[in-house]
Amino acid sequence: DVQLVESGGGSVQAGGSLRLSCAASGYIGSNYCMGWFRQAPGKERERVATLSPAYSSGNYAVYADSVKGRFTISRDTAKMMVYLQMNELKPEDTAVYYCAGRTVRGCTATVSQYPYWGQGTQVTVS
């Protein structure tokens, strides 16, 4: 069984930065999709960024249009960690951010396709 735990959330002023971390435990392997989703009050959970292992080497990242150029997803496979560097934060980024994973190489924006989720970490931008 895989467990995911997020950390690094908090309150920041508009234009500020935060770095979220996701610590994974259990065995999931290194060839699977990992990502970050967020959910604001009254809104559906949405993909922020996902990271899929390339078929050759490295990882392929996909970002929501709203965060392109501001957020960066990365992973340290050896440490079983996934990160989300968030820069130039806006009030619209306020949400609970969740780490997610699935035992498939390719990523998707569909929430129901991810069986593994963290507890979430609150990000508030004012």
Side-chain angles (χ1 to χ4, degrees), residues 36-118:
W36 290 92
F37 290 72
R38 67 186 182 188
Q39 186 167 21
K43 298 182 179 180
E44 295 184 353
R45 192 170 300 184
E46 64 178 358
R47 175 165 65 173
V48 176
T50 51
L51 198 61
S52 176
Y55 286 99
S56 57
S57 182
N59 293 277
Y60 182 74
V62 175
Y63 298 91
D65 289 342
S66 60
V67 307
K68 286 181 179 177
R70 300 188 298 120
F71 291 10
T72 302
I73 185 172
S74 61
R75 71 191 296 171
D76 186 330
T77 303
K79 295 181 179 180
M80 299 184 69
M81 297 287 291
V82 184
Y83 307 97
L84 184 68
Q85 178 65 48
M86 305 185 294
N87 298 324
E88 300 296 327
L89 284 161
K90 305 175 180 179
E92 65 189 45
D93 295 318
T94 296
V96 176
Y97 283 70
Y98 298 90
C99 179
R102 67 185 197 140
T103 54
V104 176
R105 181 188 298 272
C107 292
T108 175
T110 305
V111 170
S112 63
Q113 297 299 306
Y114 292 82
Y116 304 112
W117 293 89

